[in-house]
Amino acid sequence: MSRGKSNEVPWMDWSQQETFSGSFEKSSLLTAALTHAGLYILMFLGFINQLFFKPKVAIERNREGYAPLYNPFEQFFSRYLYRRVRHCFNLPVTSTPAAEVTLKQRATDDYNWTFRFTGEEKRCINLGSYNYLGFAEPRGECADAAEDAAKRYGLALASSRAELGTCNVHRELEKTTADFLGVEDAIVFGMGFATNSMGVPGLIGKGSLVLSDENNHASLILGLRLARATVRVFKHNDMKHLETLARRAIVEGKWKRIIVVVEGVYSMEGSVVPLRSLVAIKKRYGLYLYLDEAHSVGAMGPRGRGVTDYSGVDPREVDILMGTFTKSFGAAGGYIAGSRRLVDSVRARGHGHTYAHSMSPPVAAQVLAAMRAIASPAGAARVAVLRDNTRYFRERLRSLGVITFGHIDSPVVPMLVYTFSKMAATVERLQERRVATVGVGFPATPLNKARIRFCLSAAHSRAQLDECLTAIEAVVDEIGLRYSRKA
């Protein structure tokens, strides 16, 4: 769209558009003040500790003439804030991440600097893995397909896709993915993170302007940096702010193309992109749209086709569809899909196709079997169970008086605890009650908005969810997490 035409095009009438993406209740002023005060006290104690009791690991040696290996604040944060809650992360598992998971128990004798295994294991209900549709299982049609592929092709092809790393199962998966999504073509990659970080530079370059949601994933941010494109950030799911930035960019008249980059379901907020409104903006101003469906494909929509299915948007109206196989498909890798011309461009220019190791054939077979299962009546039943479990869990959680973020249909359910200490205490006490979950804090979230992230699955029974909710209620009462002021 030219500069003159931008001034002629009227603004969007937002009263006629659906823009709700989820609930984001704010904490009280007292809660915010106490959270900040607690954080500053913790940082002050860390500075005192660093000043008088500096550990040997904190000293870089033989570095004369070289830049420091680590950022000073990152060093301080890792040693004196993150270390205090380090026991809540990187928990080893000794089973498949199904509805239940087995955790290998650890202990520390030096305040989380190091850990030792105790020799004990604990079976917990799994509310931490992205196993949305329950396909991460040790037996069944998907596991059988992976086993057969391993026997035929081996575990790896020892080459990139552009050389000797393409086999029949890759081509079949790409065709099935394109048909599943309702577009012309698709290309698959062996790693979900790299699908963005290595795929984006092959699609976007200098002379392009990217309008990026402020909560986009780190893989998208890295890909945009490697692409050396100009990036402007709009407020999370704020279509009015996006429209303002788009009009301003068009008036500048210097961009080859303007691309909007968003996610379908945001993994830290549990929010859903208002896709119909976004497509309306795209059409009005002649923009391009890149949609990351890592957490939504398989999990959203009546047919499990993602947020396009959920929103009733023709997938061909989205220029670039990206997704991963690490969540709903219980596997690894990702895809970029769209027009045949787009996919051919990614094959020719994307680093992932030319240089990265190709997707393991057993993994591709697992994805292929899961995708075909989703397209069957039994798969549609799994999608329906996930939706019912998600709504039930969210409604029960909200009745406890805690603050949860996100959309009622998002299987990612963040519960705000605000402080690092409460995050660690919640993870510990839930694990004691046989519930395995994930605490999330800085840098994945703002410093003062630590949270517990629950992930729902179609594999969860109602009895398991009730057991989890009973445990959560007990922990909420013990620690004091009833922050919600809604009736």
Side-chain angles (χ1 to χ4, degrees), residues 109-155:
D109 301 313
D110 53 6
Y111 306 102
N112 286 356
W113 285 104
T114 61
F115 294 97
R116 58 178 173 80
F117 291 117
T118 64
E120 298 178 353
E121 295 182 345
K122 189 162 191 173
R123 190 72 174 171
C124 297
I125 299 174
N126 184 8
L127 288 184
S129 300
Y130 304 129
N131 184 27
Y132 295 139
L133 294 181
F135 287 118
E137 50 195 2
R139 58 187 60 85
E141 56 186 321
C142 295
D144 292 343
E147 181 181 358
D148 291 342
K151 291 177 179 177
R152 180 177 180 182
Y153 298 104
L155 297 179

Side-chain angles (χ1 to χ4, degrees), residues 20-34:
F20 177 75
S21 63
S23 173
F24 295 94
E25 182 182 353
K26 293 183 178 180
S27 65
S28 67
L29 184 61
L30 177 61
T31 298
L34 291 175

